[in-house]
Amino acid sequence: SSAPSPSPSQVEAPSSGPDAREGDSQPSAPEETLLQIAVGGEIFLADLADTAAAQEIASMLPISLVMADQNGVVKRYDLPSALPEAAEDFSTVPAGQLVLEGTGGLRLFYQESPAGGSYTPLATLRETEGLAQALAGESVEVTLQLVTG
């Protein structure tokens, strides 16, 4: 017969099936877009929220902002243009939340805020260890950019 014999790689490495998800590789989700927040030499990764405002922020990146301290729990930056508001009520705001206050107030919580409030979710940091130290001081420069991971 003239049919070519299958190569060993096709036989031994199925591209799908129960074995494909084992180990570190996840073929079903090769790339996800994350928000990278760089401050004071520290890098934090965050998952973008599924909101129109988060998409608008993503379209502005990369940007560097000087964020001012507010109440010892949050860094703030007032954006020059309005973003679509889709506020949710938070009874408390956990550390590691990047949110929109109103339509133009970028807020990055580095301590839990027991006061809560009404905010549009933008992103949630995957790891908050070191965040409060990195954001210490009256004002800090924060660089936001998208990365694929």
Side-chain angles (χ1 to χ4, degrees), residues 33-115:
T33 300
L34 299 174
L35 177 66
Q36 176 182 292
I37 300 171
V39 55
E42 299 287 326
I43 300 288
F44 301 94
L45 293 176
D47 294 295
L48 286 166
D50 187 18
T51 60
Q55 297 305 316
E56 294 241 356
I57 286 283
S59 73
M60 298 177 188
L61 303 181
I63 52 174
S64 290
L65 313 168
V66 175
M67 300 186 80
D69 199 71
Q70 180 179 334
N71 303 332
V73 295
V74 63
K75 287 292 191 262
R76 59 180 290 147
Y77 180 84
D78 292 324
L79 296 164
S81 57
L83 297 180
E85 188 177 8
E88 298 177 10
D89 288 327
F90 289 83
S91 55
T92 62
V93 183
Q97 289 294 312
L98 180 67
V99 298
L100 183 67
E101 183 176 17
T103 59
L106 197 60
R107 306 290 182 260
L108 176 56
F109 284 86
Y110 60 88
Q111 302 279 12
E112 181 179 298
S113 172

